Amino acid sequence: MHSGISPAIFKHRGSNEGKVIAFDKDKERYTLLKRTVAEMGASCVECVWSSFLDTGHDDERYLDVRGAILDPSCSGSGIVTRVAMEGERAKSGRRQGQGKGEDVKEGGGGEEKGMSAEEEKRLRSLADFQFAIVHHALSFPSMQRAVYSTCSVHSVENEQVVARVLDAHPDFELAHAIPEWRRRGEGPWLWREKVVRALPEDGTIGFFVAVFQRKEGEK
């Protein structure tokens, strides 16, 4: 089961086995999803034009679902940050080529500095939606593992959402996501080393990943 477009492309880790149910309520994204799935020959993927939040936890079709990949709508600030950084690098290179350049300092992560009240309100609204998606997924009776990801650098959409989810679901904990990845989470939480952050200076876009797993002994 997944909410969002990208996970359906992987064809269940390339094996095309099992079953993936992919939800998207946006008609254009749903159409793109169906076309991509068809082009990939991903017969294990069922595309559903609907909001994931409309699925019922007692629906017989989903009673045995054990995993979810969740990439809900986000601010996209990680993509914007990369584009801005590449622009600054290009400008810096031109200045240095003229003998007048200074190195551009590559900034980091998720602090909401210098943000307008309107921007902050939008982020809070997105975070509420992101929490709702993860909360909904973890509430399915057979759910064992769920991956949450954003292309945001903002803590409010990343670590703060994770903290809210863990508070709401004491029967779940975090798995250590991508242990070999150097950059980890931010903030005061002891579990921050279990989540992953990526920034443009890592050679990618700004990105965040957290993996929730049901605690042993919990139903």
Side-chain angles (χ1 to χ4, degrees):
M1 175 180 287
H2 91 75
S3 172
I5 187 169
S6 57
I9 300 173
F10 68 89
K11 293 200 303 184
H12 206 250
R13 296 187 176 180
S15 65
N16 210 17
E17 298 176 354
K19 185 175 182 63
V20 178
I21 308 170
F23 295 87
D24 206 309
K25 69 176 183 178
D26 181 85
K27 182 63 179 293
E28 290 186 8
R29 291 198 304 264
Y30 166 76
T31 301
L32 174 60
L33 175 63
K34 284 201 68 174
R35 183 168 68 247
T36 302
V37 166
E39 291 173 351
M40 295 289 292
S43 58
C44 68
V45 179
E46 175 189 347
C47 301
V48 179
W49 179 25
S50 175
S51 170
F52 173 59
L53 293 175
D54 290 338
T55 57
H57 295 126
D58 57 352
D59 190 318
E60 292 184 357
R61 293 172 294 177
Y62 310 127
L63 292 181
D64 296 327
V65 170
R66 296 174 59 85
I69 300 179
L70 311 165
D71 58 341
S73 298
C74 72
S75 65
S77 54
I79 300 173
V80 173
T81 300
R82 167 128 196 180
V83 171
M85 181 173 290
E86 289 176 348
E88 286 300 315
R89 285 173 176 165
K91 292 177 183 178
S92 177
R94 288 195 295 269
R95 290 196 299 265
Q96 290 173 359
Q98 298 169 356
K100 300 179 181 179
E102 296 180 357
D103 291 338
V104 175
K105 182 179 180 181
E106 294 187 354
E111 296 184 13
E112 288 73 62
K113 294 180 178 178
M115 186 175 295
S116 69
E118 183 177 348
E119 289 171 324
E120 186 173 346
K121 181 179 179 181
R122 174 173 174 266
L123 280 187
R124 294 292 175 187
S125 177
L126 283 168
D128 287 343
F129 172 70
Q130 292 151 359
F131 167 78
I133 289 287
V134 184
H135 173 62
H136 189 70
L138 298 190
S139 298
F140 282 91
S142 297
M143 187 63 63
Q144 297 296 314
R145 196 173 179 92
V147 178
Y148 170 62
S149 65
T150 75
C151 52
S152 171
V153 298
H154 296 305
S155 175
V156 66
E157 296 180 274
N158 298 332
E159 290 89 354
Q160 292 181 43
V161 169
V162 170
R164 292 172 65 185
V165 171
L166 291 174
D167 284 344
H169 290 272
D171 50 337
F172 278 83
E173 61 188 357
L174 289 173
H176 196 175
I178 319 178
E180 64 274 17
W181 190 259
R182 175 182 60 85
R183 193 182 300 279
R184 312 309 297 184
E186 299 177 351
W189 301 280
L190 295 177
W191 46 255
R192 65 182 181 274
E193 291 298 316
K194 293 185 176 182
V195 301
V196 165
R197 272 184 174 269
L199 294 174
E201 52 261 43
D202 299 322
T204 181
I205 64 169
F207 203 76
F208 178 84
V209 179
V211 181
F212 297 92
Q213 64 183 10
R214 190 178 294 274
K215 294 178 181 177
E216 290 188 16
E218 298 286 349
K219 288 187 177 182

